[in-house]
Amino acid sequence: MAKQILLKNIEVPGLASFGVYRQLGGYSAVEKALANYTPDQVTNEVTRSGLRGRGGAGFPAGMKWGFIDKKTENPRYFVCNFDESEPGTFKDRHIGQLNPHQLIEGMILGSYALGAKTSYIYIRGELFYVLRIIEKAIDEAYKNGFLGNNILGSGFSLDLYCQPGAGAYICGEETALLESLEGKRGNPRIKPPFPAVVGLYGCPTVVNNVETIAALPWIINNGGEAYAEIGIGNSKGTKLISACGHINKPGVYEIELGLPVEEFIYSDQYCGGIRNGNKLKAVVAGGSSVPILPANLILKTAAGETRFMSYESLSEGGFQTGTMLGSGGFIVMDETACIVKNLLTFAKFYHHESCGQCSPCREGTGWMEKILHRIESGHGTMKDIDLLVDISKHIEGNTICPLGDAAAWPVASAIRHFREEFEEHVKLQKCPF
Amino acid sequence: MPLLKVTIDNIEVEVEAGTTIMNAARKIGGSVVPPAMCYYSKLEGSGGKCRTCLVKVAKGSSKDTRPMPKLVASCRTLVQDGMVVENRTSPEVMENRRAITEFLLLNHPLDCPVCDQAGECHLQDLSYEHGLEETRTEEDRRTFEPVDIGELIKLHMNRCILCYRCVMVADQITDKRVHGVLGRGDHSEISTQIAKAVDNDFSGNMIDVCPVGALTDKTFRFKSRVWFTKPFDAHRGCTKCGGKTVLWMKGDEVLRVTGRKDKYGELEEFICNSCRFEHKETADWVIEGARNIERHSVISQNHYEKLDLPENAVEGK
């Protein structure tokens, strides 16, 4: 059984209440940090742990904290990115809904380390029922003296708010999130300046993913080094994977980074194999925006080595033969799945969610969706396939924020690995599935 | 403060710290200046959106000589000492500019023959220089009905490229903004919430900053093609603005009043609605003399000159 850090007590009834969480050792990390650690020592533990951002980019959390501008006299802010809306990703909701106090404890630790006196959890509007759970938990934390003025007599004060968005994927991009949190239209900002220098209300800000923040209590309790012992290479610790698609046991699993992909798909402990004993066709390994890989390349790298669930191993081979760990939205497709139809679904999503600020993404996403719709409905031509590749190439890297890349990569990779299937759609003038 | 040295298309220029690549290029002038559809030097925070001004930074600075990994928006990227920038001389940049032009035209109605902006349209210039000669799309374009946003301004949302300039004008020049961008993606639109009218002493500047024919002057609509009018610099004593304008005349008749635009199509000064819409008699104005329009669009008809391209320039398209 893999080490359980985030989901250890997740099945305990009533975990969302303060009493149960506290009984299981909750908030001991806050007690420990406020009594024994300076803010910088907390940051050092996180740096030592090798924890990487779990929102998708995998940027080292300690390093991100290190960038915050501490010289300014302006207040600093710590913000939790709970705008989880990538198709295939539903891990943060799991924590927020079942174990909100773990997230709050992490928020207190992060705010203490960064010197933030006000912090925000920005949650997507569709998760209103989770917002209610978190707000109740925040109230309990206030009542028990873990939030508010002079926490545990340490002199450190923190106000924590949970703010719902209006339901936009783009507000998961950290600068768009900050705009939205300020009450503006959620358009990503042009970087630089980065939020660590000019963030929320123009003040230094760190934005972290829910899962990243939820790992903080364990790291403080057990030490950064203990966390760094789990995992392989530069992929430390455990990761939540939300598995869905044509598998026997969809759900949220906590894995130690470095688990072989084959074991994750076929072991009864995790996905439990492909439904009806079907053949594995393709996997989107890290949420809809990462490149899709065919069965042979997801199980083994192009060089024939075993592929592991880790940042490095999944990206082995670059975009030609590799993919990314991303946010951990693991979408499995068996032989009955139509790649074109699946891609059309993704394209529709990105078209709908593009903020419309910069032209390549605004126009390109809609164009790709229309062409894919044409191919899927049997009216495509061979030229359309090349046109798709050309469009995706001109969106990628040319946009203000990564949404453009996220829309372009699935298209480019699907055609790279499954070109025959697109051609079959054109030849048959219909979807063969 | 020592000046920073930056090389753009093999031409060296010295600029102050805090200058963007775009403005360094404008200091050199000529064809090394990247086209700008959304950047407007007089509007704070503008730029970065249209992506037509993307350039390649082949060398970051003399300290960090690495090239930048992606093309950068020249209007929002500051120069570093020793930076080497490729605009016209980079095939990658020219290829991308073609692509961006295609994206901008994707949902554009191409109704130039009936559009008031024709002849002084930045999108026309851009596609003339960088666009493909044929279209690769057969899809339906997004369509909206033209609407009046106030007494004096007509909005053709079909033609809009969402540069946000008019939003910034309303934010920064007028007392109160009552219009903005609603919706998102290619279905987003410039609109006034709940049919509110744009009614402000300086709202007319929205028309001047619009790079395309999305916002047009209702007092001038369909009166004449711009190239049949003659522009004259003129001024009047105005209590609200500087009163320095351009009169667009046909014979003795003043057909239109606009602000004075420089060679990048940017207003030198914003003007008030009273000058723009209410003073259309020659007697209202002191005429200074004919205005020379430098831009190479239709308005300078019969004065097309071949672009003076820098050495090693790559052919576009």
Side-chain angles (χ1 to χ4, degrees):
Chain A
M1 187 73 184
K3 185 107 192 146
Q4 298 286 293
I5 288 175
L6 299 160
L7 302 186
K8 190 172 165 220
N9 299 323
I10 207 85
E11 279 165 17
V12 177
L15 183 66
S17 73
F18 180 85
V20 175
Y21 182 71
R22 182 81 173 128
Q23 218 171 21
L24 292 165
Y27 287 104
S28 56
V30 170
E31 288 172 322
K32 185 177 176 186
L34 293 186
N36 305 327
Y37 288 166
T38 64
D40 284 345
Q41 279 171 317
V42 176
T43 308
N44 286 343
E45 283 303 325
V46 175
T47 309
R48 252 199 296 270
S49 74
L51 175 66
R52 291 169 67 165
R54 301 294 194 224
F59 193 80
M63 200 191 282
K64 195 173 188 179
W65 288 14
F67 291 146
I68 196 162
D69 182 2
K70 288 197 166 170
K71 281 178 228 139
T72 161
E73 288 172 8
N74 289 332
R76 297 189 282 273
Y77 293 104
F78 186 46
V79 178
C80 170
N81 185 345
F82 206 142
D83 196 72
E84 178 179 57
S85 12
E86 178 114 336
T89 310
F90 44 89
K91 65 188 176 64
D92 296 342
R93 184 188 65 188
H94 203 58
I95 297 177
Q97 193 177 0
L98 298 171
N99 198 358
H101 283 287
Q102 190 172 15
L103 175 61
I104 294 170
E105 190 176 1
M107 286 302 290
I108 301 170
L109 293 168
S111 305
Y112 177 65
L114 296 163
K117 293 187 182 67
T118 310
S119 295
Y120 297 92
I121 297 171
Y122 181 92
I123 188 165
R124 71 186 281 224
E126 287 93 333
L127 297 181
F128 204 78
Y129 60 104
V130 182
L131 171 95
R132 291 228 166 112
I133 294 169
I134 292 175
E135 288 204 319
K136 192 164 161 264
I138 289 177
D139 279 349
E140 287 177 318
Y142 266 106
K143 273 188 200 124
N144 288 283
F146 285 96
L147 285 173
N149 274 333
N150 194 11
I151 298 169
L152 304 176
S154 64
F156 173 66
S157 304
L158 176 68
D159 283 318
L160 181 61
Y161 300 95
C162 193
Q163 172 66 41
Y169 173 67
I170 190 62
C171 291
E173 198 277 340
E174 59 178 10
T175 55
L177 186 154
L178 296 177
E179 287 280 300
S180 172
L181 197 50
E182 289 178 7
K184 299 177 190 155
R185 187 185 157 82
N187 279 357
R189 295 177 184 166
I190 294 154
K191 292 178 270 190
F194 289 92
V197 183
V198 181
L200 187 62
Y201 305 117
C203 301
T205 305
V206 167
V207 184
N208 278 144
N209 176 257
V210 172
E211 192 188 341
T212 317
I213 296 170
L216 298 176
W218 195 92
I219 290 172
I220 296 304
N221 277 328
N222 298 276
E225 265 151 38
Y227 192 83
E229 276 166 22
I230 312 165
I232 52 166
N234 283 328
S235 305
K236 307 290 191 199
T238 63
K239 172 96 187 77
L240 295 184
I241 305 288
S242 50
C244 64
H246 302 151
I247 46 176
N248 285 321
K249 287 170 61 194
V252 181
Y253 297 102
E254 181 166 13
I255 58 154
E256 287 184 22
L257 287 167
L259 181 80
V261 176
E262 192 164 2
E263 190 183 333
F264 182 71
I265 298 175
Y266 291 102
S267 153
D268 280 338
Q269 201 185 329
Y270 301 110
C271 301
I274 312 298
R275 66 167 186 189
N276 306 333
N278 284 357
K279 250 171 64 191
L280 174 67
K281 181 177 185 181
V283 170
V284 179
S288 61
S289 57
V290 308
I292 189 172
L293 283 186
N296 58 330
L297 283 174
I298 188 72
L299 300 177
K300 290 209 180 335
T301 64
E305 288 159 12
T306 309
R307 182 92 72 183
F308 299 103
M309 300 288 281
S310 78
Y311 291 99
E312 294 85 18
S313 181
L314 280 172
S315 54
E316 182 88 38
F319 275 6
Q320 280 310 306
T321 59
T323 178
M324 285 163 76
L325 181 59
S327 58
F330 199 82
I331 307 168
V332 182
M333 284 171 249
D334 71 8
E335 58 203 312
T336 64
C338 171
I339 298 293
V340 181
K341 192 170 180 196
N342 169 68
L343 186 62
L344 171 62
T345 311
F346 287 170
K348 243 183 215 160
F349 174 79
Y350 288 110
H351 175 209
H352 183 68
E353 295 295 340
S354 166
C355 79
Q357 191 182 195
C358 62
S359 26
C361 175
R362 177 182 68 232
E363 305 294 348
T365 50
W367 196 6
M368 290 198 300
E369 188 206 323
K370 285 173 186 162
I371 296 171
L372 280 165
H373 186 266
R374 202 159 65 212
I375 296 176
E376 172 65 12
S377 60
H379 304 291
T381 61
M382 290 296 177
K383 254 167 112 180
D384 283 339
I385 304 172
D386 293 321
L387 185 56
L388 275 174
V389 177
D390 193 59
I391 299 167
S392 71
K393 212 167 67 189
H394 288 121
I395 299 176
E396 188 186 341
N398 284 345
T399 51
I400 293 175
C401 82
L403 195 144
D405 299 342
W409 290 340
V411 174
S413 61
I415 298 177
R416 190 183 305 130
H417 298 300
F418 295 96
R419 197 179 181 103
E420 306 85 58
E421 208 171 307
F422 286 81
E423 287 171 356
E424 211 183 331
H425 276 78
V426 172
K427 276 184 207 140
L428 295 174
Q429 293 288 294
K430 64 172 190 152
C431 176
F433 289 91
Chain B
M1 205 63 162
L3 293 175
L4 307 179
K5 243 183 220 154
V6 49
T7 312
I8 305 173
D9 283 347
N10 307 316
I11 303 168
E12 208 176 83
V13 64
E14 287 190 335
V15 293
E16 284 169 22
T19 308
T20 58
I21 297 174
M22 169 73 81
N23 283 329
R26 284 185 177 184
K27 198 170 171 191
I28 299 172
S31 64
V32 301
V33 185
M37 298 298 290
C38 67
Y39 171 72
Y40 207 78
S41 63
K42 276 104 193 161
L43 295 172
E44 201 187 321
S46 68
K49 298 185 197 301
C50 70
R51 316 308 277 178
T52 47
C53 74
L54 294 186
V55 292
K56 186 176 178 177
V57 175
K59 182 182 164 193
S61 69
S62 44
K63 273 186 208 142
D64 183 357
T65 57
R66 289 174 302 171
M68 289 192 183
K70 293 181 192 173
L71 301 183
V72 300
S74 60
C75 61
R76 291 295 289 258
T77 309
L78 300 183
V79 298
Q80 310 273 342
D81 194 34
M83 186 185 260
V84 176
V85 179
E86 292 173 12
N87 177 28
R88 282 273 177 185
T89 51
S90 160
E92 193 188 348
V93 169
M94 297 308 284
E95 163 66 14
N96 265 288
R97 205 159 285 161
R98 178 202 62 69
I100 301 293
T101 309
E102 189 175 27
F103 284 137
L104 287 174
L105 291 173
L106 199 65
N107 274 311
H108 191 82
L110 297 172
D111 59 346
C112 309
V114 294
C115 174
D116 270 326
Q117 189 85 359
E120 48 180 11
C121 174
H122 289 230
L123 192 54
Q124 251 181 344
D125 288 354
L126 186 77
S127 39
Y128 177 76
E129 212 175 309
H130 300 282
L132 283 175
E133 270 142 22
E134 55 178 358
T135 172
R136 298 196 292 169
T137 170
E138 51 185 79
E139 275 78 25
D140 288 344
R141 284 152 206 258
R142 58 156 203 185
T143 47
F144 297 87
E145 284 299 315
V147 287
D148 291 333
I149 52 166
E151 288 287 293
L152 302 160
I153 305 171
K154 191 84 167 176
L155 168 66
H156 278 266
M157 193 51 221
N158 287 353
R159 299 171 185 155
C160 178
I161 59 159
L162 289 163
C163 69
Y164 283 66
R165 280 179 184 178
C166 64
V167 179
M168 288 174 192
V169 160
D171 258 340
Q172 296 170 26
I173 311 296
T174 70
D175 300 340
K176 204 174 170 196
R177 172 161 72 89
V178 295
H179 82 290
V181 179
L182 305 187
R184 64 186 177 212
D186 60 7
H187 31 282
S188 52
E189 57 174 313
I190 299 284
S191 177
T192 52
Q193 193 102 29
I194 324 172
K196 208 167 170 151
V198 174
D199 178 19
N200 192 295
D201 282 346
F202 285 83
S203 63
N205 292 300
M206 284 164 54
I207 301 164
D208 275 353
V209 300
C210 184
V212 294
L215 296 168
T216 48
D217 181 343
K218 277 178 72 183
T219 64
F220 175 64
R221 275 165 62 79
F222 308 132
K223 288 249 172 80
S224 167
R225 307 269 23 173
V226 284
W227 56 89
F228 294 135
T229 61
K230 285 208 169 78
F232 291 93
D233 278 343
H235 67 264
R236 63 180 273 269
C238 177
T239 50
K240 283 182 188 157
C241 68
K244 287 184 188 161
T245 60
V246 177
L247 307 184
W248 300 76
M249 318 227 343
K250 204 175 198 175
D252 287 339
E253 210 183 336
V254 180
L255 291 186
R256 174 172 80 149
V257 183
T258 68
R260 294 182 186 178
K261 292 186 185 179
D262 64 17
K263 60 180 158 187
Y264 304 115
E266 291 187 10
L267 287 179
E268 289 166 8
E269 281 174 30
F270 293 102
I271 62 166
C272 69
N273 282 6
S274 174
C275 286
R276 185 187 303 272
F277 298 119
E278 289 160 17
H279 293 83
K280 296 224 170 163
E281 301 293 329
T282 34
D284 295 333
W285 298 94
V286 181
I287 292 175
E288 296 166 20
R291 183 166 184 89
N292 183 29
I293 304 290
E294 284 186 39
R295 282 177 41 243
H296 53 273
S297 52
V298 191
I299 196 167
S300 318
Q301 55 162 345
N302 304 329
H303 297 292
Y304 279 108
E305 278 165 31
K306 199 173 180 310
L307 278 176
D308 189 14
L309 292 176
E311 240 175 281
N312 308 325
V314 187
E315 272 300 311
K317 300 183 189 179

